[in-house]
Amino acid sequence: MRRVLITGGAGFVGRHFVRHFLQAGDEVHVVDPIAPATGGVDPALGWPLFDPREYSGFHFYKEDCRQFFRRSTHESFDLVLHLAAMVGGRLMIEHNPLAIADDLSIDAEYWQWAAAARPTKTICFSSSAAYPVSLQRQEGYVLLSEEMINFGDDIGMPDMSYGWAKLTCEYLARLAHERHGLASVCYRPFSGYGADQDDTYPFPSICKRALAGSANEPLVVWGSGRQMRDFIHIDDCVHGVVHTMDAIDDGGAINLSTGRLTSFLDFARVAVGACGYDTEVQGRDDRPVGVFARGGDTTLQEQLGFRATISLEEGIASAIAYYRDRVGDR
Ligand SMILES: Cc1cn([C@H]2C[C@H](O)[C@@H](COP(=O)(O)OP(=O)(O)O[C@H]3O[C@H](C)C(=O)[C@H](O)[C@H]3O)O2)c(=O)[nH]c1=O
């Protein structure tokens, strides 16, 4: 049995890892303030897919992780999943960049705490938003591979304050290894999705709009709808981490991606089809669209023995079945 700390563990990504480690028999300590607009859900209100309170190894601290770090300087953990961050989809990234910059402070305090508490291993959630936006433009976009961020040479311009914070966290992970001998690995998830994701993200909002729509009205996506993302199911993200986390200890990064780019127009068409009707998909230009194409090379993941297996079509079909059931339950 490992002693696992998950910062930000009540959010979308965290809840899936909490389930994984509890089911593996580990003791799981979750710290999360349930801040507005971050997708955090208080366990006391019930989590959508499972109830962590049914496990005796589940411990929840409703507080900012920075406060937890200040009062638990020497608590020892076998594993820390550091997920705590101000997150929340494109609108938040573009409209509230200074609020997101709080991530710089969260990560600084995390690494200062880790230098004293010395967890055996840290799994750090960075982001594909750390990659240079210049490689994601309509003209000349490429599948992004890990070595395209090179701290010894060229790091490029990441995606707004969110990207800067994630990039800085990766840099701190490397310094923590070099200067303090701390073991860690950083992950760069692409567009992670799942049925229980909060509605600020495109996956649930487009699926729910498709379910609420009909053949008589167009389905609306943001921008032209031609912009593309690499959608990876949250179960694949969990498997990807579990399969590869022991391979890197020096703070180096691994993508969590499928290598497949899907436009929002195509995504919406699949969602409509999964709801059993057909309609026109239209863009709207009063919403932020972000980069044109963000897809992740899979070479390193595959070398480490992991390949995502859940197709976007399967993910959409199962999420729509889940939303349908819940509407039926009300
Ligand atoms: C909510 C919504 C979004 N969209 C489109 C508009 C944008 O082109 C795209 C934005 O997706 P997202 O909010 O996931 O933002 P990205 O710029 O892709 O960045 C995301 O992926 C990186 C890796 C992170 O780490 C971020 O946390 C995450 O926000 O979805 C729609 O078309 N319809 C909608 O209802």
Side-chain angles (χ1 to χ4, degrees):
M1 185 189 72
R2 290 167 296 189
R3 207 161 178 264
V4 181
L5 172 67
I6 308 188
T7 69
F12 166 61
V13 173
R15 294 192 299 271
H16 286 264
F17 278 101
V18 171
R19 178 166 63 177
H20 170 82
F21 288 111
L22 286 175
Q23 286 177 347
D26 294 319
E27 185 182 296
V28 180
H29 297 257
V30 168
V31 184
D32 197 311
I34 320 289
T38 59
V41 181
D42 194 325
L45 302 177
W47 283 0
L49 299 182
F50 86 112
D51 191 345
R53 294 167 301 175
E54 289 171 3
Y55 293 79
S56 59
F58 177 69
H59 304 273
F60 180 62
Y61 313 91
K62 189 171 174 176
E63 65 182 332
D64 189 310
C65 63
R66 288 167 287 194
Q67 198 177 318
F68 177 87
F69 299 147
R70 284 171 211 153
R71 70 174 177 78
S72 329
T73 329
H74 292 293
E75 268 218 58
S76 91
F77 291 97
D78 301 301
L79 191 61
V80 181
L81 256 87
H82 179 48
L83 306 176
M86 293 302 294
V87 286
R90 197 73 223 163
L91 267 180
M92 173 92 164
I93 288 174
E94 294 209 5
H95 289 181
N96 228 337
L98 288 183
I100 294 220
D102 227 22
D103 293 342
L104 291 160
S105 144
I106 291 170
D107 294 338
E109 290 212 33
Y110 174 70
W111 287 111
Q112 287 159 3
W113 172 83
R118 304 201 63 81
T120 311
K121 177 88 182 235
T122 296
I123 296 170
C124 220
F125 260 60
S126 173
S127 170
S128 52
Y131 279 111
V133 290
S134 60
L135 302 174
Q136 304 169 62
R137 296 199 176 113
Q138 189 161 357
E139 316 74 33
Y141 62 84
V142 291
L143 284 183
L144 301 159
S145 60
E146 288 82 352
E147 75 284 357
M148 288 171 180
I149 296 175
N150 179 348
F151 288 106
D153 182 9
D154 189 9
I155 53 171
M157 175 67 99
D159 190 358
M160 302 200 64
S161 58
Y162 186 68
W164 278 112
K166 293 299 183 182
L167 193 56
T168 307
C169 188
E170 288 193 23
Y171 181 58
L172 296 181
R174 299 217 172 213
L175 289 180
H177 181 258
E178 278 170 31
R179 306 288 169 93
H180 299 273
L182 292 178
S184 72
V185 53
C186 296
Y187 286 93
R188 296 180 187 148
F190 283 68
S191 292
Y193 71 89
D196 60 321
Q197 193 172 30
D198 45 299
D199 291 347
T200 54
Y201 285 89
F203 181 84
S205 52
I206 291 173
C207 288
K208 287 176 188 174
R209 282 208 295 277
L211 198 53
S214 73
N216 305 322
E217 50 191 330
L219 184 77
V220 173
V221 295
W222 297 4
S224 68
R226 292 195 303 113
Q227 73 275 20
M228 298 179 280
R229 294 293 183 272
D230 181 336
F231 291 95
I232 177 162
H233 194 278
I234 186 66
D235 290 347
D236 275 329
C237 291
V238 174
H239 291 145
V241 168
V242 171
H243 274 84
T244 60
M245 57 183 263
D246 293 329
I248 290 180
D249 272 340
D250 66 354
I254 306 176
N255 284 345
L256 290 170
S257 57
T258 68
R260 175 187 169 196
L261 281 163
T262 304
S263 75
F264 284 90
L265 291 176
D266 286 340
F267 170 9
R269 287 183 194 117
V270 174
V272 163
C275 294
Y277 65 93
D278 189 21
T279 195
E280 186 196 349
V281 178
Q282 277 181 6
R284 60 183 284 184
D285 56 16
D286 60 345
R287 289 284 192 281
V289 293
V291 293
F292 182 76
R294 179 176 286 159
D297 183 86
T298 58
T299 310
L300 178 60
Q301 295 160 78
E302 286 173 23
Q303 279 169 1
L304 298 175
F306 167 69
R307 179 192 274 258
T309 57
I310 303 168
S311 70
L312 181 59
E313 288 75 7
E314 288 172 273
I316 290 172
S318 72
I320 283 175
Y322 171 82
Y323 300 139
R324 245 190 202 126
D325 280 354
R326 283 170 66 99
V327 170
D329 284 349
R330 280 188 209 133

